Amino acid sequence: METPSLWVMQQILVTLILLIQSSVAVNRDNFKTCQQSGFCKRHRAMTPGQSAYEVITETVNVQSTSVNLQLLNTVTNVKLTLELSGLERSTARIKINEVEPIKQRYEIPIGDVLVEEPKRQGLKKLEQTSQSLTLGIEKNKIVISFKPFRIDFYTEDEPVVSINAQGLLKFEHYRHKQEAQPEENVEEAKEGEEPKEGDENAEEKPAEEEQKKDEEEPDLWEETFKSFTDSKPHGPSSVGLDVSFPGFENVYGIPEHADDFALKTTKDTDPYRLFNLDVFEYELYNPMALYGAVPVMMAHNEKNTVGIFWHNAAETWIDIKSNVADKNFFSKVADFFKQDSDIPQTDTHWFSESGVIDLFVMLGPKPKDVFKQYAVLTGTTPVPPLFSIAYHQCRWNYNDQDDVRNVDANMDKFDIPFDVIWLDIEHTDGKRYFTWDGNKFSHSVDMINNVASKGRKMVTIVDPHLKKDDNYKVYADAKSKDLLVKNKDGNEYDGWCWPGSSAWPDFTDPEVRKWWESKFLLSEYEGSTNDLHTWNDMNEPSVFNGPEISFHRDAKHHHGWENRDVHNIYGHLVQQATADGLILRSDHKERPFVLTRSFFAGSQRNGAVWTGDNIGEWSHLKVSNPMLLSLNLVGITFAGADVGGFFKNPDPELLTRWWQAGAFQPFFRSHAHIDTKRREPYLLPDNNMKIVRNAIRARYTFLPYWYTVFYNTYKNGGPVMQPLWAEYPEDKSTFKMDDQFLIGPSLLVKPITEQGGTGTNVYFPGANDVWYDILTAEKYLGGKSIYVNAPLEKIPVFQRGGSVIPRKMRVRRSSGLMHDDPITLFICLDRQGKASGDMYADDYHTFQYQKGKYLHRQFTFSNNKLTNSNADKNGVFETKEWIERILILGVLKKPNGVAIKIGNQQQQLAFGYDPNTSLLAIKKPGTKLQEDFVITLL
């Protein structure tokens, strides 16, 4: 048991941290710069030039789906093994490792990030000479050059990706530390004979000399940051490689950073850093690491889209150079470009602290091809339960059961729909997760059931740190079963977080994840119900008294791996185990909802992500758009930013504009710090409250469309919230655009993110397209930028001509009460008088859809006929949803009549026509969603 004095010290520390968070922006001194990171300095000190590595030609072994060879470092004589394999869907994989490491190097287990061992694709040997090997994979070509080593990828004979063209491959091999020799032995070595021919040690001498030279460098065997010392028993172990994109000016991805969508050159800054950290009140427009890391980058131009996935869980930095952004930068890539400085080129340099080089190259050639190629590797977001894509009301903290009841009642009183109310850390018994404060939440089941009676859910926070208290059964169980992370000496790792002295389950161990899953059973999590879902915070992990507010790098995990090897997947595995726990609780029937702050590639399979501790300022509202675009681009589709900002007290105008923006972002939650003023939407001034209410209600009307978009991305990959170039890949004016975006293919959104803004310039893509204002039905021609009025009550949103969007216009208290409600089809015709769209439906909450219990309908309007047909015959589902009304925009003249035909039965339908807006309203077709029909304008 902890002593009273220790307990007091813990509470003082936690209180001080809370006060600091309340009053001070990010303290940069808590986090490393590249100059303070030994391996980052070493890699960044390299200069582009001819690579030291060559292919040992006699080791080249070409097989049906792969090439195996060895690389020789001509400076050190150290050998590496390389395997290049062809994968399905125009993807290649390059793995580089030591030939005979003194200990195994960490590789992420299959299933943790990759959904399965990638399926191989045949490689065709096109040509082999003494200088190179040329291979074919589908319509692409791969050229491996031997001396110096490099790999070039071509799409239709155009170079798109080059590997090691700058010669920056660096692979720090594990080694034994050399003990200092006595002085006399050093002299003897100097006076000794040169190695004789055939001396088996002769080849090793250069490597030994290089290692001795390395030993003189700092930070190789031990590294100190502030007061923390990191031991490295096997010495430096970093890996690095340059990847270049000839012909590409713009690259995207590698979240999470509070920065522009199109990544910037790092010529005059630190590299972009991927290292999951707890960074509150983060700064904007810099490459500092944040809470999550997805090492995926895409390059896009008018002709091609390509991508790479750096499959490594260690701390990673990425340098970016551009011959467009860096006017005087001379690239070493693609020798044939040297005479043409007008051709854009982006060169990147990737380096990680440990692990192996495991690089996937996705060759597109179009955006949707790359999205699918990456989805095949790491999976997609399962269709979320409907409630989770509706509106969430959260705060640190709702004080007690009465507070929850009052918020719930007031939302109803002011006719503001919501689906989920959240409880932060104060709901627990002394920050012991899976418990309740017995005074404030003594009847938690009744509280949850009361909320659920209106079709709503609740969420409680469950962080991975466990209070070190032997009377706390979760900690005691983990301790007794030896499930906790260890320090470098093999003892239980001890750090400080919200409860004070804490320990952390080792989620890299599959048995620990199974144990964690069991804690969500109703018999284990007392006071919970099936209507309670989960929020994983602080899972980077956050350790208040640790280096960079996280684990020590030499902390020990499953199989003895150090945290330096696995750091960036820890939070991802926490969310995975939590989601699996909720699934287990329902006996694999109900879809879970889990929100995480920390994430990695593949986290899209587990639930939702949010952008962390943002600030209630206009700049943070503005940056939420590029941050969410970056997440969506790399598969993290169910993502959002805290509406209103977590810190500070924004004024009513900012809150109003933020709710409007959030209503058109994938994850829609309002959240606030414990020290902020209460800001539930009904507390706003009356005019602002009404505007916010309308924004939230608009979200609910669009739920059928959101749900359909989520289903389509689940099936095919790709973003829910997407950049304009994903739909208009040849439009160069969209390549750097990140202040407007598309939801699915059919909704264009331009949030107002400037204080006092009453209008904005909107770019309408597609020279042959037409767009319709969803509020006024005003029509805008594509291919130009037009100023659109946007007073406070309006967020500019437009429906694409040629699309059909299903909506539900009867908004109720929650989405759970709208499952069977009727549908209104909003049809916007293109310039040819055509439109198409779809709607997906199922039971909205179980996994039955994965067993064929779903409905996917296709709507097509052409030649004055609207058809409703089955888009997928594999799905069979009976729904009570029916089509109540059809609104068609772009009808040039009033029809003489409207008739519907179902089977052999035909009847006339009532309709109205407005010539000013070209709007035709067809009233009460009355058909079930699953019924085939044809409606004809006569």
Side-chain angles (χ1 to χ4, degrees), residues 694-726:
N694 287 339
I696 296 173
R697 290 172 67 86
R699 171 63 166 230
Y700 278 73
T701 71
F702 278 104
L703 284 179
Y705 179 68
W706 279 103
Y707 201 66
T708 300
V709 172
F710 268 105
Y711 171 75
N712 287 327
T713 58
Y714 156 70
K715 292 293 289 184
N716 302 311
V720 168
M721 176 180 173
Q722 56 180 347
L724 271 62
W725 58 255

Side-chain angles (χ1 to χ4, degrees), residues 26 31 277-283 288-291 540 549 597 612-613:
V26 61
F31 307 105
L277 293 170
D278 179 1
V279 186
F280 58 86
E281 292 194 338
Y282 47 81
E283 293 182 3
M288 287 179 66
L290 290 178
Y291 311 96
E540 295 75 25
I549 317 179
R597 188 171 72 176
D613 296 345

Side-chain angles (χ1 to χ4, degrees), residues 141-161:
K141 187 169 65 175
I142 307 171
V143 179
I144 304 175
S145 300
F146 296 158
K147 296 183 180 181
F149 161 70
R150 65 184 272 176
I151 304 176
D152 294 289
F153 293 85
Y154 297 79
T155 295
E156 296 185 353
D157 293 323
E158 286 198 18
V160 289
V161 178

Side-chain angles (χ1 to χ4, degrees), residues 772 799-807 824-830 833-837 859-862 865-867 883 885-891 918-920 922 933 935 937:
Y772 298 86
Q799 183 172 338
R800 186 178 184 173
S803 68
V804 180
I805 288 182
R807 296 173 66 179
T824 297
L825 295 181
F826 284 75
I827 302 174
C828 292
L829 302 182
D830 63 15
K834 297 180 179 181
S836 63
F859 305 109
T860 304
F861 187 92
S862 180
K865 290 185 178 181
L866 171 66
T867 61
I883 297 176
R885 190 166 53 150
I886 299 171
L887 301 177
I888 307 176
L889 274 169
V891 178
S918 301
L919 173 64
L920 176 69
I922 302 173
F933 66 73
I935 292 177
L937 308 189

Side-chain angles (χ1 to χ4, degrees), residues 363-526:
L363 295 170
K366 298 302 178 185
K368 292 178 182 179
D369 297 317
V370 178
F371 299 152
K372 185 65 175 181
Q373 288 157 0
Y374 179 63
V376 167
L377 297 174
T378 66
T380 60
T381 303
V383 182
L386 183 65
F387 77 83
S388 66
I389 60 175
Y391 175 58
H392 300 246
Q393 185 64 47
C394 184
R395 176 176 181 80
W396 178 21
N397 202 83
Y398 288 120
N399 300 320
D400 51 31
Q401 292 167 174
D402 288 340
D403 200 2
V404 170
R405 185 183 302 109
N406 289 335
V407 171
D408 181 71
N410 277 313
M411 294 292 277
D412 288 342
K413 176 181 177 181
F414 287 86
D415 200 20
I416 303 171
F418 83 102
D419 265 63
V420 191
I421 190 165
W422 294 52
L423 297 178
D424 211 318
I425 56 177
E426 310 303 330
H427 83 278
T428 62
D429 176 12
K431 315 300 188 299
R432 297 169 178 87
Y433 304 106
F434 303 101
T435 71
W436 302 86
D437 184 311
N439 294 319
K440 298 177 180 179
F441 297 94
S442 57
H443 296 89
S444 59
V445 171
D446 292 342
M447 173 185 66
I448 299 168
N449 288 341
N450 179 63
V451 169
S453 68
K454 302 174 184 180
R456 294 171 176 148
K457 310 291 181 181
M458 291 195 69
V459 164
T460 52
I461 196 166
V462 179
D463 293 347
H465 50 263
L466 302 179
K467 181 176 178 64
K468 296 184 73 169
D469 175 359
D470 289 333
N471 292 321
Y472 171 31
K473 68 177 184 179
V474 180
Y475 167 72
D477 192 29
K479 180 180 178 181
S480 68
K481 293 176 178 175
D482 195 25
L483 304 178
L484 300 168
V485 174
K486 304 294 192 297
N487 62 24
K488 67 176 181 178
D489 300 318
N491 299 315
E492 185 179 298
Y493 185 89
D494 180 85
W496 294 62
C497 208
W498 294 126
S501 183
S502 302
W504 281 260
D506 181 9
F507 288 91
T508 66
D509 183 346
E511 293 304 314
V512 173
R513 297 201 293 272
K514 288 182 181 178
W515 168 84
W516 182 261
E517 292 166 20
S518 72
K519 297 304 169 187
F520 290 90
L521 294 171
L522 300 182
S523 58
E524 290 281 329
Y525 190 174
E526 297 176 10

Side-chain angles (χ1 to χ4, degrees), residues 631-651:
L631 287 166
N632 268 259
L633 194 75
V634 299
I636 309 291
T637 57
F638 199 4
D642 283 344
V643 169
F646 181 60
F647 292 105
K648 296 194 174 181
N649 294 298
D651 63 27

Side-chain angles (χ1 to χ4, degrees), residues 395 648-649 672-680 683:
R395 176 176 181 80
K648 296 194 174 181
N649 294 298
H673 190 277
I674 195 170
D675 288 337
T676 62
K677 298 176 182 177
R678 294 291 287 255
R679 52 165 111 130
E680 287 72 32
L683 296 177

